[in-house]
Amino acid sequence: MITPARPDNSSRRWLRPLAVLIASLLLHLLLLDWATGRLGPAGPHQKTETVLLTTLEPPAVPAPPPPPPKPAAPKPKPVPRQPRAPRPAVAQSAAPPAPAQPVESEPQGAPGVAMAEPTPTPEPVPEPAPETPQAPPPRVLKTQAPPSAELKYDVEALRNGKLVYGSGKIGFRSSGDNYVIDGEAGVLFFSVLTFRSVGSIEQDGITPLRYSEKRFRKAETNTHFQREAGRISFSASTASYPRAGGEQDRASIIWQLAAIGRGDPSQFSTDSEFDIFVAGVRDAETWRIRVVGEEQIHAGGDNLTAWHLLRMPRPGSYDTQVDIWLAPSRQWYPVKLRQTETNGDYLDMSMSSITPLAAQ
C-alpha cells in the first residue's frame, strides 16, 4: 500500500493563497453572470461563453525597474556663417572710362576671413639742413660815389693794455664805372693791416668783385664776389654764400655809406638803420648799421659835424664793433674810424689830411 506523500510546509504555504484566489475569481464570475441576466435576457445571437478555470502559477516577484536613462547632452547648434559685407558701389562718372590697367593679384585669405590692409610705413622725415645766412633784400637807395681822394689818419691803438701810436691812409679812386680802395694802418715801424677792394660802381652804389686783406704775421686772404656764378667764396675757408646784389666787404661798406649820404642826405636820420650783407675773410653776415646821430668831432685841425654810424656785434659773438663818422662838409668822407674788440682793445683812426686825386 502506498502511502501518499505529505505535502511539505512550503506547499502548504502556496495552497492557501491559491485557494483564496480561486474562490475570489468564482465569486466575481457569478456576480458578473447575475448582473448580466438582471440587466436583460440574452439575445438569440448571444453565445454563452464557457469559462475554463485552470490552476494559476504563483505570480513571479517583479524585478526592480531599471534606472531611468540619463538625458543625452544637447548637440551644439550650428553657428550660422556671417555673410560677407557687400563691396561699396563705385560711382560712375559721366566721363568715358579710362583704359583698363593690369591689376596685380593680391594674396587671398581663408574663406570668410577678411584680409587686413597693410599698415603704411611712415617715411623718414629728413632733418632740416642748417640755414645759411641770406643777404637781405636790397634796399632801394639813392647813391652817389664820392670823388677820388687819399685820406691820411693818425692812429691810436690799445693792445694788451699798452697804448701805441702810428699812422694810416685810405685811398679811393674812381673812374665812374670802376673803383679801387687801398688801405693801410701801421704802428711804429710795422704795418699791422693792409687791405684792397676792387669792383664797379653801379646804380645801387659800390659793387665789390674781390677783397684782399693781410694782417701782421698772417697770410693774405681773398674774398671773391662771383657775378656769373652768383656766389661769394673765400680762400681762407670752404664757406659759400649766394650773391643777390647789394653785398659789401669790410672796406667797401664805408664808402657805400658815404655814397648813400651823398645820394640823398635825408636818407640819414637819428636811429634809422641799414641792413647790409658784409663779407669778411672767412664768412659773411648781415651788418645792422644804426645811425646814432650828428656829433661834433675834431679832425684834421678842424671841428667838424659828422654823422655817427654804429655797427653793433651780435649778442654773445666775438665780432668787432665798428664806429664810422662821415662829414657832409668833407664830401661825406670817413673822417674818423674806430674798431673795438670784445676784450677792450681798439684801433682808432682820425683823419689828418685829405688830398684829392685824379680820376683813373
Side-chain angles (χ1 to χ4, degrees), residues 70-263:
K70 295 182 179 181
K75 295 183 179 181
K77 295 182 179 181
V79 179
R81 177 177 295 177
Q82 297 293 335
R84 293 185 179 180
R87 294 185 178 180
V90 179
Q92 298 295 330
S93 174
Q101 299 293 334
V103 180
E104 297 182 359
S105 60
E106 298 179 356
Q108 301 295 328
V113 179
M115 295 293 292
E117 295 183 0
T119 303
T121 303
E123 297 182 359
V125 179
E127 296 183 358
E131 294 185 359
T132 301
Q134 301 289 330
R139 181 178 173 182
V140 179
L141 298 169
K142 294 181 180 180
T143 61
Q144 183 182 2
S148 300
E150 182 182 74
L151 285 74
K152 292 185 178 179
Y153 297 88
D154 294 328
V155 175
E156 178 181 292
L158 179 66
R159 290 289 181 269
N160 300 323
K162 296 181 179 180
L163 194 61
V164 294
Y165 299 90
S167 62
K169 63 179 181 180
I170 299 177
F172 179 81
R173 293 179 173 86
S174 170
S175 63
D177 295 329
N178 301 293
Y179 77 89
V180 176
I181 300 172
D182 286 301
E184 179 181 349
V187 176
L188 298 178
F189 302 104
F190 301 98
S191 176
V192 296
L193 174 66
T194 59
F195 55 87
R196 182 181 178 91
S197 175
V198 297
S200 60
I201 299 177
E202 301 181 5
Q203 185 177 1
D204 56 351
I206 307 297
T207 304
L209 296 176
R210 186 181 70 255
Y211 173 69
S212 304
E213 181 178 299
K214 187 180 185 311
R215 293 183 177 271
F216 181 63
R217 293 181 178 177
K218 292 185 178 181
E220 181 179 279
T221 61
N222 293 278
T223 302
H224 301 276
F225 297 80
Q226 304 176 41
R227 183 187 296 271
E228 295 182 358
R231 306 295 296 177
I232 302 175
S233 59
F234 310 86
S235 64
S237 73
T238 59
S240 178
Y241 300 88
R243 180 183 182 275
E247 299 85 3
Q248 302 294 328
D249 58 48
R250 291 180 178 178
S252 67
I253 177 64
I254 300 173
W255 298 90
Q256 173 69 356
L257 293 171
I260 294 174
R262 283 177 54 85

Side-chain angles (χ1 to χ4, degrees), residues 7 55 114 229 258 328 353:
T55 305
S353 65

